[in-house]
Amino acid sequence: MSEKLITANLASTIATRALPGITQWNRLEGRPRTENFERALRAEIRDPLWLLSRQWQMGEFRGDDAGSPIFARTRIETTRLTGYRAAHGSAEAFDTSLPLEARVEPLPLALSLGDHDIALDIRLMLGRYWLKLIKALPQAARGQYIAAYPIHAPDPNDASDAPTLAHAEAWAQFAAVAGRAMDGARLYAYLKADPAHRASDGIAALAGSEAQADAQGVRFLAWFEKLLHQPAEGSAFVPERLEYQFSCSTPAAAGTDKVYVADQYFQGHLDWYNFDSDPTQTTLGEATAEGEITEAVEPEVTTLTTLPAQATFNGMPNTRWWAFEDGRTNFGDIKPDTTDLAKLLLIEFGLVYANDWFVVPFVVPAGAIATIKGMAVTNVFGERIWIEAAGRGADDDWQRWALFLTSVKGQGHQAADLSLMIPPTAQKTLEAAPLEEVIFVRDEMANMVWGLEKTVPLPSGMPKPGAAAARETRLFFEKDVERRLGAPPQPPPAASGAKIRYKVMSTVPENWIPMIPVHVPGDNREVQLQRASMPRIIEGDPSPPASVRPRTSLLRHGLDQAPPQPYFLHEEEVSRAGVRVTKSFQRTRWRDGRVWLWLGLRKQTGRGAGSSGLAFDRIVDL
């Protein structure tokens, strides 16, 4: 062996570290001497005193916390929601046969845009279903119903059909079914207009079968109203706020009601945080004859005796030594920002105080309000402790901390509401693609607000980008002017030798609807936003310019009434970031298995200010 690999004095070399070296360790493993591996895999420790010493070293024997609870006795009072009132309705009985969202959110389905028929898909669906219902009746009645309730055929030479003719896909669909299919919406509107109207009216082929057709008419109405939930007479939607407002009540002491108000609901899902307790109201008001509120019942009192269970969650630190937690939740991977207070509290709860929380389970039925009247806890030392709510005191106390409690609406210094409200809401709601989308943006250069129609519904029933629909509509009217004049419209000729031209005002795309500031009546300082209109100016058109009307029901509020009504929007509703409002179909399944479908609205924060390019008093080069 080479002398270079031999160390003469190994002990002194290691002690002085004269030569660099690599230390290696051999893994210690249990070596079974028999074919039974059970004892070898136990990894037994023969010195329990060493384990006790480690526990003493880590401070496990220091009892700085109170004893663990072993017995709890709780008195809980529950009451049911009995009253409901929408913003524009009267008080009525609270209906638990449908989710609360389906009672609050539904908006009317628009079947017309001014004097024009829209929602062709709904009209055809209603027509097909009606013809299916009368399949057993005389065959000649089918053709007479198609003739009596026809699909509108657009006239290419009629500019009043512009909402349909301007879009090739909508025009093609109307032309394809006109004279071949039945407009079921016309029959539905006829039957709903007057209780004396019958489905057999005007159909000569039903001679002797009128009773059968009338019975199918009743079934037809019930089917559509069950298929699509329409709003009741009193709607909860407040157009000037772009949100829903409603109230619920539950019986209270001395024949009064405890009223919960939701005056700023727009999120698309109802929960406890949408409600505020209003101590200034003791009743919802007069109930209608159709929706009479049931007689108040006494609160249900429950005395719950239970053994508290420790709160657990995935990734929870193990409370004992020599055990590993599961890795489903990695608290070490959480990267909170300096403003993520809720995330920091979650980390502290999960890592420091995880084993300090206990659960006393109590099932609160949906549509009920639960209030804990008292709670006594006995710990392992036999001490009986009276537990008080952490959120007690004044509701506006800045040091008060509470979770899942309802805020109190008032002027301040109100006693905190310690009740827990569980509204009967849908667990999950499916939302379709937006049928309408409007973005309210602030235009600082023009010093105004615009309602930008991002998505508009075509007469065929399908949504289309508002910018594309505006370009097609503009092109249609330009071609219509050319058709009427027999030649392309020409701008007025410039003066001889002129090099510039004065333009009073520029134009904007037709999907930009102006919202101009006006004074609130009786106030010379506060302003609100009023819907206005831009003129459709086509150079060379001898006709007076027409006003550009919005195509979404969100911006057409009051426009289709007789006479047309203005639409006002509170100025504070449009922040600097803007507001995005969408309308889409919502679908959910309730606890009895029934499917509910309605047309609802949702409001979200926009993405900042915008610029329309509108300018006045400009000089342009020729």
Side-chain angles (χ1 to χ4, degrees):
M1 180 178 296
S2 175
E3 295 182 356
K4 295 181 180 180
L5 301 179
I6 300 176
T7 303
N9 191 351
L10 181 61
S12 61
T13 301
I14 294 176
T16 58
R17 297 182 180 182
L19 296 175
I22 299 176
T23 304
Q24 295 183 344
W25 302 90
N26 291 327
R27 189 171 66 177
L28 300 178
E29 298 179 350
R31 180 174 297 177
R33 298 181 181 180
T34 63
E35 296 181 355
N36 185 6
F37 290 88
E38 180 179 356
R39 184 174 181 183
L41 294 176
R42 290 177 183 173
E44 297 178 349
I45 298 177
R46 298 296 181 177
D47 191 359
L49 181 60
W50 180 81
L51 293 177
L52 295 174
S53 301
R54 290 292 293 173
Q55 288 182 287
W56 169 79
Q57 181 183 13
M58 303 304 296
E60 279 199 41
F61 297 153
R62 293 181 179 179
D64 56 353
D65 292 336
S68 300
I70 59 173
F71 185 81
R73 192 175 181 87
T74 311
R75 186 178 179 86
I76 304 173
E77 183 180 283
T78 58
T79 56
R80 291 279 186 172
L81 293 173
T82 58
Y84 170 84
R85 180 170 61 85
H88 302 294
S90 55
E92 58 184 88
F94 195 90
D95 189 2
T96 58
S97 63
L98 76 167
L100 189 54
E101 290 96 339
R103 184 70 181 89
V104 174
E105 295 183 9
L107 300 174
L109 177 65
L111 296 174
S112 61
L113 182 69
D115 298 331
H116 309 96
D117 292 341
I118 62 173
L120 179 62
D121 52 350
I122 303 295
R123 294 176 179 274
L124 293 176
M125 179 187 66
L126 290 170
R128 288 193 301 266
Y129 186 77
W130 173 252
L131 296 179
K132 179 181 178 181
L133 290 178
I134 64 170
K135 188 176 182 179
L137 298 179
Q139 187 66 21
R142 178 186 182 92
Q144 293 185 12
Y145 270 111
I146 295 177
Y149 304 99
I151 296 292
H152 173 66
D155 184 1
N157 297 320
D158 187 0
S160 63
D161 282 336
T164 303
L165 297 174
H167 314 291
E169 61 270 43
W171 185 5
Q173 293 184 38
F174 270 87
V177 297
R180 300 180 179 90
M182 174 186 169
D183 189 344
R186 292 178 183 269
L187 175 60
Y188 177 81
Y190 175 77
L191 296 178
K192 293 292 290 184
D194 191 342
H197 290 176
R198 297 290 180 264
S200 59
D201 294 346
I203 308 299
L206 293 176
S209 304
E210 293 86 348
Q212 300 179 31
D214 295 341
Q216 295 295 353
V218 176
R219 181 180 176 184
F220 174 72
L221 293 177
W223 167 79
F224 182 65
E225 292 172 357
K226 182 180 179 180
L227 176 67
L228 181 63
H229 187 57
Q230 297 277 13
E233 293 183 0
S235 175
F237 180 61
V238 182
E240 59 269 21
R241 292 287 185 185
L242 299 174
E243 57 197 20
Y244 299 96
Q245 295 181 4
F246 64 98
S247 305
C248 300
S249 65
T250 185
T256 60
D257 293 335
K258 184 177 182 180
V259 178
Y260 292 88
V261 296
D263 50 8
Q264 291 183 353
Y265 169 58
F266 52 83
Q267 293 87 354
H269 175 68
L270 276 168
D271 215 328
W272 59 271
Y273 47 77
N274 295 114
F275 294 89
D276 293 330
S277 176
D278 190 355
T280 62
Q281 298 187 43
T282 58
T283 180
L284 286 181
E286 295 290 337
T288 61
E290 295 81 3
E292 186 174 352
I293 299 178
T294 56
E295 184 178 354
V297 295
E298 291 295 328
E300 181 180 350
V301 179
T302 303
T303 301
L304 183 65
T305 302
T306 183
L307 302 178
Q310 195 168 30
T312 59
F313 52 89
N314 293 337
M316 175 179 175
N318 201 291
T319 57
R320 297 292 180 182
W321 290 94
W322 328 118
F324 291 95
E325 302 85 6
D326 62 77
R328 285 176 289 183
T329 302
N330 186 4
F331 285 95
D333 193 44
I334 299 178
K335 300 178 177 60
D337 200 353
T338 55
T339 58
D340 292 338
L341 182 59
K343 193 176 293 186
L344 293 171
L345 290 174
L346 174 64
I347 297 174
E348 186 174 9
F349 164 78
L351 298 179
V352 180
Y353 303 105
N355 61 337
D356 291 345
W357 296 86
F358 289 81
V359 177
V360 177
F362 179 76
V363 178
V364 180
I369 294 92
T371 305
I372 299 178
K373 294 298 184 180
M375 183 175 184
V377 178
T378 304
N379 61 15
V380 293
F381 300 112
E383 300 173 334
R384 187 176 175 87
I385 303 171
W386 179 258
I387 304 298
E388 294 183 338
R392 66 187 184 276
D395 183 75
D396 56 351
D397 186 359
W398 69 274
Q399 292 183 322
R400 172 176 172 265
W401 186 89
L403 191 62
F404 304 113
L405 293 184
T406 305
S407 300
V408 178
K409 183 178 180 180
Q411 301 298 325
H413 304 291
Q414 301 281 347
D417 188 348
L418 303 180
S419 61
L420 173 65
M421 182 184 185
I422 306 295
T425 57
Q427 182 70 20
K428 179 67 176 180
T429 302
L430 300 178
E431 182 177 0
L435 186 63
E436 296 181 7
E437 180 181 359
V438 177
I439 300 179
F440 293 91
V441 296
R442 289 189 175 272
D443 186 352
E444 297 296 340
M445 295 300 296
N447 194 24
M448 60 186 304
V449 173
W450 295 91
L452 173 57
E453 293 182 318
K454 193 74 172 179
T455 303
V456 300
L458 292 181
S460 60
M462 299 302 294
K464 186 167 187 172
R471 287 193 299 267
E472 293 175 356
T473 303
R474 174 79 181 187
L475 181 61
F476 170 81
F477 282 106
E478 290 178 352
K479 290 183 177 180
D480 181 69
V481 173
E482 180 180 352
R483 179 186 60 83
R484 289 188 286 107
L485 297 179
Q490 299 294 332
S496 177
K499 297 182 179 180
I500 60 174
R501 172 174 290 178
Y502 172 72
K503 296 192 69 173
V504 178
M505 180 182 68
S506 64
T507 185
V508 298
E510 293 198 359
N511 61 320
W512 288 66
I513 308 300
M515 305 289 293
I516 59 175
V518 296
H519 281 292
V520 174
D523 195 318
N524 59 358
R525 295 180 62 86
E526 186 178 0
V527 298
Q528 57 185 345
L529 302 175
Q530 181 180 1
R531 178 191 57 212
S533 61
M534 294 290 293
R536 181 182 291 116
I537 302 176
I538 300 177
E539 292 188 357
D541 185 6
S543 302
S547 298
V548 177
R549 302 298 185 187
R551 302 185 60 172
T552 58
S553 60
L554 295 173
L555 286 175
R556 289 186 65 89
H557 179 74
L559 195 60
D560 297 327
Q561 299 180 11
Q565 300 295 321
Y567 171 51
F568 297 96
L569 177 65
H570 287 275
E571 191 266 343
E572 63 270 15
E573 294 297 330
V574 184
S575 62
R576 188 176 183 84
V579 177
R580 176 176 179 263
V581 185
T582 58
K583 188 171 74 170
S584 57
F585 284 102
Q586 314 286 333
R587 184 181 185 272
T588 189
R589 189 180 295 275
W590 194 225
R591 55 195 179 198
D592 57 358
R594 180 179 174 183
V595 174
W596 290 89
L597 178 69
W598 68 92
L599 197 59
L601 176 141
R602 178 177 295 188
K603 183 173 70 171
Q604 297 172 310
T605 304
R607 296 185 177 181
S611 177
S612 62
L614 180 65
F616 299 90
D617 301 327
R618 295 192 306 164
I619 295 179
V620 296
D621 296 329
L622 290 178

